[in-house]
Amino acid sequence: MNALSPLGMVSEFPSENQKSSTEVAKDYFVEKDGEKFAGMHLLLDLWGARNLTDPAAVDRALRAAAQAAGATILHGHFHHFGPDGGVSGVLVLAESHISIHTWPERDFAAIDIFMCGACDPYQSLPVLKAAFEPTSVQLGEQRRGRIG
Amino acid sequence: MNALSPLGMVSEFPSENQKSSTEVAKDYFVEKDGEKFAGMHLLLDLWGARNLTDPAAVDRALRAAAQAAGATILHGHFHHFGPDGGVSGVLVLAESHISIHTWPERDFAAIDIFMCGACDPYQSLPVLKAAFEPTSVQLGEQRRGRIG
């Protein structure tokens, strides 16, 4: 997977993150390895994968993955492209999202794990590997909204 | 703009893409610039952006972006983190998804446009720039599920 090179941030910030009185948005910028950014986005391509055609099972796998990373699930939707077809779905999280698109005819799935706040998307990886049993994996990391 | 064409079969597949009797899955692999892959994924970071706090407006912007690219919208969900807070949302498409997370306190938004089939995610960019009026933009392209 090609690496992306984010630009450094050059603008000003008027204030610290706003948090509403009714819920914790958990969307503050994070700091890691001396960098500051909005969120960590993992792009995960699974090859030789299994269990790609049951939307309920895919839903359960992604929910377990979100929980493993400490994320808060706000909404989920999983679409099935026919009885033996692939699944497209997403969990909207307080900390961003996890999405999946499967191509069972190719034993392939593309997963995105985008998390900010205190969540660690890397904690989702063992859960997803256990659920889909890929024979090979491509993983890319993008630090979205890098400002320093 | 280069046209995308469906991938020819290169390994054993039990059948052509399954298409349900009620909808076209539109999730065949694509070919572009001599490469074959599942779908084109654009990672778009907007800085100095506006209109980041109204979930209905964000929803409309993403729907217009999906339509500009020729995508089929299956489902949408947009979450608002309080009256002046950011928005997190996603459109599930027959051709994958468009997602957005906004940080209005930073005038920042992270958008993902993941499309396969005959859709061109680059067609979404002018719509998104018009809707959110960023002063600067970072764009990355990832070809997901590359097989050649």
Side-chain angles (χ1 to χ4, degrees):
Chain A
M1 188 163 304
N2 293 333
L4 299 180
S5 308
L7 293 176
M9 183 56 202
V10 294
S11 311
E12 303 175 349
F13 300 122
S15 64
E16 274 297 315
N17 280 0
Q18 302 279 344
K19 299 214 165 78
S20 80
S21 58
T22 54
E23 63 188 283
V24 176
K26 298 188 192 173
D27 63 353
Y28 43 83
F29 274 39
V30 297
E31 233 174 292
K32 185 177 180 182
D33 309 326
E35 291 189 345
K36 196 166 183 180
F37 49 96
M40 183 79 77
H41 183 174
L42 301 184
L43 290 76
L44 184 66
D45 284 1
L46 306 182
W47 296 100
R50 302 179 57 188
N51 309 319
L52 302 178
T53 60
D54 179 356
V58 170
D59 185 332
R60 284 194 300 272
L62 261 62
R63 285 180 188 270
Q67 285 155 12
T72 304
I73 299 168
L74 300 175
H75 177 80
H77 184 85
F78 292 83
H79 184 87
H80 196 195
F81 291 98
D84 300 307
V87 175
S88 275
V90 65
L91 295 180
V92 180
L93 311 171
E95 301 84 358
S96 295
H97 72 271
I98 300 182
S99 64
I100 185 168
H101 304 288
T102 78
W103 282 256
E105 67 278 11
R106 308 256 184 188
D107 299 329
F108 172 74
I111 296 176
D112 286 80
I113 312 165
F114 185 167
M115 290 183 186
C116 54
C119 297
D120 180 5
Y122 282 96
Q123 298 298 317
S124 295
L125 299 183
V127 175
L128 295 167
K129 288 176 185 172
F132 299 113
E133 304 175 62
T135 56
S136 72
V137 168
Q138 265 180 282
L139 177 66
E141 177 193 290
Q142 292 297 333
R143 297 182 177 193
R144 304 296 294 273
R146 214 175 79 183
I147 59 175
Chain B
M1 183 83 52
N2 292 333
L4 299 180
S5 50
L7 170 65
M9 293 299 199
V10 294
S11 43
E12 296 177 23
F13 299 120
S15 62
E16 274 294 318
N17 276 3
Q18 298 284 343
K19 299 205 166 81
S20 80
S21 57
T22 55
E23 64 188 284
V24 175
K26 300 187 193 176
D27 63 352
Y28 43 82
F29 273 41
V30 298
E31 203 169 331
K32 183 177 182 182
D33 309 325
E35 292 189 345
K36 298 173 184 175
F37 49 96
M40 183 79 78
H41 182 174
L42 301 184
L43 290 76
L44 184 65
D45 284 1
L46 305 182
W47 296 102
R50 302 179 57 187
N51 309 318
L52 302 178
T53 60
D54 178 357
V58 171
D59 186 332
R60 284 193 300 271
L62 261 62
R63 285 179 188 270
Q67 285 154 11
T72 303
I73 299 168
L74 300 174
H75 176 79
H77 185 85
F78 292 83
H79 183 86
H80 196 195
F81 291 98
D84 300 307
V87 175
S88 275
V90 65
L91 295 180
V92 180
L93 311 172
E95 301 84 359
S96 295
H97 72 270
I98 300 181
S99 63
I100 186 169
H101 304 288
T102 78
W103 282 256
E105 67 280 8
R106 306 258 187 194
D107 299 329
F108 171 75
I111 296 176
D112 286 80
I113 313 165
F114 185 167
M115 291 184 185
C116 54
C119 296
D120 181 3
Y122 282 96
Q123 298 296 319
S124 295
L125 298 183
V127 174
L128 294 167
K129 288 176 184 173
F132 300 112
E133 304 175 61
T135 56
S136 70
V137 168
Q138 266 177 269
L139 177 66
E141 176 192 292
Q142 292 293 338
R143 297 182 177 193
R144 305 297 295 272
R146 219 174 78 182
I147 60 174

